[in-house]
Amino acid sequence: MNQFSRREFLKFGAGAIAFLKELSLPHKVLAKLEELLAEREFIKESFEDGIERLKKDVYENKTERYFVFVKKGKTSGWLNIEDKMSLDMGFSINLLPILEDDEIEKMHFVHTHPLAIVEADELLPDDKLEEIKAKQKSDFPLLPSFVDIATLAKQKRFLSENKLPQKLVHSVLDPAGMWTYDVDLENPRIKTISKFKEPIKDGERKSDDELIVMSPEESTLFGMDLEISSRQREFYQNSQGLNPKNLEELKNWYKEKYGVTLKFTPHKN
């Protein structure tokens, strides 16, 4: 087996870098939240009911799911923000209409890391995997990825630099429970991957040297990818599942490495 997962390695491909850079460029806002609600799937249910629905997708759907719970005035529910989705990669729609809407009272982004990832990356032996499928209960979480961290960092930087009042919450549901995570924008590595770049003006081009050599942002992302993927595989190979000791170790590791604060809530059933 490779040291890092097929999924995480592919997340470092050109598509992932382009996706993250989208938040670094100025955009014309194409739609307000209300226009998105009119054209996207919107489920009027409580936050708790939406989490229960997405927990089923962790076991029954082979691709990641991307939703945001929004509350604005009398409007409250789950907006589907998926664009191109696959086991190896997920893309959301342009989120600037949501991020720039300062009348939104609450937005909690939630996506899934399905059990299919554990199977595709051969993280567990077949008998253990079949037991988890049958019981739909696992002690083996899938860690927030480097793309998850970078996406939140870029969104927080965007809100900060545009003096917007919204507070972001990001979570990922996996077979074992739900991670809620936050980033410290002052952490050196988070600064590198969240900073904004000026777009190339019409008629200008990068030099061949610039195109060949990784930018500091891309180099940092690649390093994070290798580190998180290696830690993920090590966790699956060297433990019997999540317990208070290794949960605390994981939290400390993310905090020291990336300035990322983690909270983990196991599934009740």
Side-chain angles (χ1 to χ4, degrees), residues 69-234:
F69 180 81
V70 293
K71 184 179 186 310
K72 179 180 178 181
K74 296 181 179 180
T75 300
S76 178
W78 289 86
L79 177 67
N80 185 327
I81 55 173
E82 296 169 359
D83 192 358
K84 297 177 182 178
M85 310 303 298
S86 71
L87 175 61
D88 296 310
M89 178 62 69
F91 295 97
S92 69
I93 61 172
N94 173 25
L95 296 175
L96 289 187
I98 298 175
L99 296 177
E100 290 189 327
D101 191 333
D102 59 10
E103 294 182 3
I104 291 179
E105 302 160 48
K106 179 178 180 179
M107 52 182 164
H108 190 146
F109 293 90
V110 180
H111 72 284
T112 63
H113 285 173
L115 183 65
I117 294 169
V118 179
E119 185 172 15
D121 292 338
E122 300 179 6
L123 292 173
L124 289 173
D126 290 343
D127 59 341
K128 185 63 177 178
L129 191 62
E130 291 305 314
E131 177 187 341
I132 290 172
K133 286 180 180 179
K135 293 182 178 179
Q136 293 209 343
K137 181 175 176 59
S138 174
D139 293 322
F140 292 88
L142 288 161
L143 306 179
S145 72
F146 78 102
V147 170
D148 299 338
I149 294 168
T151 300
L152 172 57
K154 285 183 175 291
Q155 289 180 354
K156 283 192 69 172
R157 181 76 67 191
F158 177 84
L159 293 180
S160 174
E161 295 195 356
N162 287 278
K163 297 180 172 57
L164 292 166
Q166 294 91 323
K167 301 297 182 184
L168 290 176
V169 183
H170 274 239
S171 297
V172 56
L173 280 169
D174 67 28
M178 182 167 77
W179 298 99
T180 298
Y181 50 99
D182 197 7
V183 297
D184 177 6
L185 293 180
E186 295 306 309
N187 178 275
R189 300 180 87 176
I190 295 299
K191 272 187 176 180
T192 300
I193 63 175
S194 66
K195 65 183 180 182
F196 293 99
K197 298 178 180 179
E198 292 296 326
I200 300 175
K201 296 178 181 178
D202 292 341
E204 292 183 355
R205 65 181 295 273
K206 286 188 175 182
S207 68
D208 291 340
D209 287 342
E210 286 179 296
L211 291 173
I212 292 171
V213 178
M214 269 188 193
S215 69
E217 176 195 30
E218 291 163 344
S219 178
T220 300
L221 284 169
F222 186 59
M224 289 172 64
D225 175 34
L226 294 179
E227 290 167 351
I228 293 175
S229 297
S230 177
R231 187 68 186 236
Q232 175 83 75
R233 187 164 295 281
E234 176 186 304

Side-chain angles (χ1 to χ4, degrees), residues 242-258:
L242 204 59
N243 59 50
K245 181 176 181 294
N246 57 35
L247 175 59
E248 198 62 27
E249 288 174 350
L250 285 173
K251 288 181 177 179
N252 291 338
W253 184 77
Y254 267 85
K255 186 76 173 178
E256 292 170 6
K257 280 278 186 180
Y258 316 119

